[in-house]
Amino acid sequence: MVDPRSDSRPPRSGRAARWCIVVLISVVLVGPSTCAAKTRHFRWEVEYRYWSPDCVEGVVMSINGQFPGPTIRAVVGDTVSVDLTNKLSTEGVVIHWHGIRQLGTPWADGTASISQCPINPGETFTYRFKVDKAGTYFYHGHYGMQRSAGLYGSMIVQAGGGEKEPFHYDGEFNLLLSDWWHESAHEQELGLSSVPFRWIGEPQALLINGRGQFGCSLAAGYSNSTSTARCEFGGGEQCAPSILPVLPNKTYRLRLASTTALASLNLAIGGHKMVVVEADGNYVQPFAVDDLDIYSGETYSVLLTTDQDPRQNYWIAVGVRGRRPNTSQALTVLNYRPNSASKRPASPPPTTPLWNDYNHSKSFSSRILALAGSPRPPATHHRRIFLLNTQSKFNGHTKWSINNISLSLPPTPYLGSLKYKIHGAFDARKPPESFPADYDVMRPPANPNSTVGSGIYTLGLNTTVDIILQNANALSENTSEIHPWHLHGHDFWVLGYGEGKFAAEDGDKRLNLKNPPLRNTAVIFPYGWTALRFVADNPGAWAFHCHIEPHLHMGMGIVLAEGLNAMGKMKMPSGAFACGLTAKIVTNNDGHN
């Protein structure tokens, strides 16, 4: 294996360039663990480094000098302990453990201004939490737009205690998908907050495990190729693709996670079908697909059987969906051994479905159902909250709003304010739980002006809550965007999707209460609605937001709080609240309070 950090030179390109890929991903051979639960310790330092993710040198956020960050592997029941030191010069940092429910440890969720204060430059904060469910997860920065800057990595939780997963495979690969801009995250933030508004544009590259190519193509030279420049790698470049070496007639598990800042993606493998078996850490009824859509914040496991011509290699292609693409596919190769990794596949890469073929997307989403024996949702709800997603204006700034309020996070973390019963730390007025019945979701808002706020939705402990995510037209005519929504601290059941405005008399009849999938991220399609149900059984303050990084930056989210009495009795590290109005309370206290 070539060290991917040994050379950051861009590849040469040209029609006659030799096609050579030498970076391999090692296959992981795994089985159920029978080891007793243990504490897995990690010491991480976050800092900026020069890097060439797409063969163009820029600045990335690294962990221990790596981009993406190190992969965490743990077993169900383990405790993960991460000492995170901020080596950035002028900004804070936090890390969110995406998909980990943080049962009993809400302070370790890693959301700035919600579960903790940002970690200041030079300081160290210890995240300590238990992983309670096998599955495919990842972690990422959750302060400003640090995910866009490359602060992310994979997290795999394996079954333990003799537990058997409901499928068999011979080895596994981990594919972390992301998008990349040449403009820095700080520049992007400034543009989004400026008057006039400056949109970040489409990404320059898509990355697979932090590797992509800008300005050349691995697939140049096929008859249907639109690129004339063919990538050539001499060995060790940071942008050289990670090859998946496989043996014929084996079954492999591909763990897929999307940490994109903007792009919805589609993945396909030339000549091969995939069987979907896991979504967001929950088992699903297996079903075969030629390609699959994956939205920001989602994870999947698929089974791939290497049953094609063993004399050939095959393309793995990742393309943009849901937005008019201006970004080339990310490509790598499924390398049937003992073929050379440099052997070009006989056929061109699979074509990504049209970006606006939403019927294709909806068909895939509707096939995701819980595996038999999975927890079923309560038959009824105690409370139903409607969340209207709209684009809006506030004092000349372009915002995203929920029920006409754009989220503005306070300087004191909600969790600390609620634990210590501090008044005035955030808006006392409760945000609205619905929107006007006559609102026309098919047209731009008649009044585009919104307000900003920091109020929270307080939920009764152990109550069942429905959330109806309602999409609508944005500020421009005939424009409605895809929004993947992620809930911290919980999984939810995805009860159904629909077109237009949700109407209880019709929508309730269409909800699936028999075998809806458990997820932590769900998409709302343009001009449509998505119905979710969850039990508020995890005391804490939890973010619920669009996982598109610019949209969250522009206010597209809410905060849920539950179990206030239990929260007050929890032991939490003082370092989580050493800012804002809680700083005075914890200044003279050491350890947990």
Side-chain angles (χ1 to χ4, degrees), residues 2 63 65 109 151 187 191 196 203 241 252 276 293 295-296 331 368 399-400 448 479 483 499 534 566:
V2 176
I63 298 176
D109 189 51
L151 185 54
E187 291 177 283
Y252 294 89
V276 181
D293 286 341
Y295 303 98
S296 178
L331 297 173
I368 302 172
K399 296 285 189 179
W400 284 98
T479 301
H483 300 290
E499 310 289 335
F534 71 98

Side-chain angles (χ1 to χ4, degrees), residues 44 79 288 453:
W44 287 358
T79 296

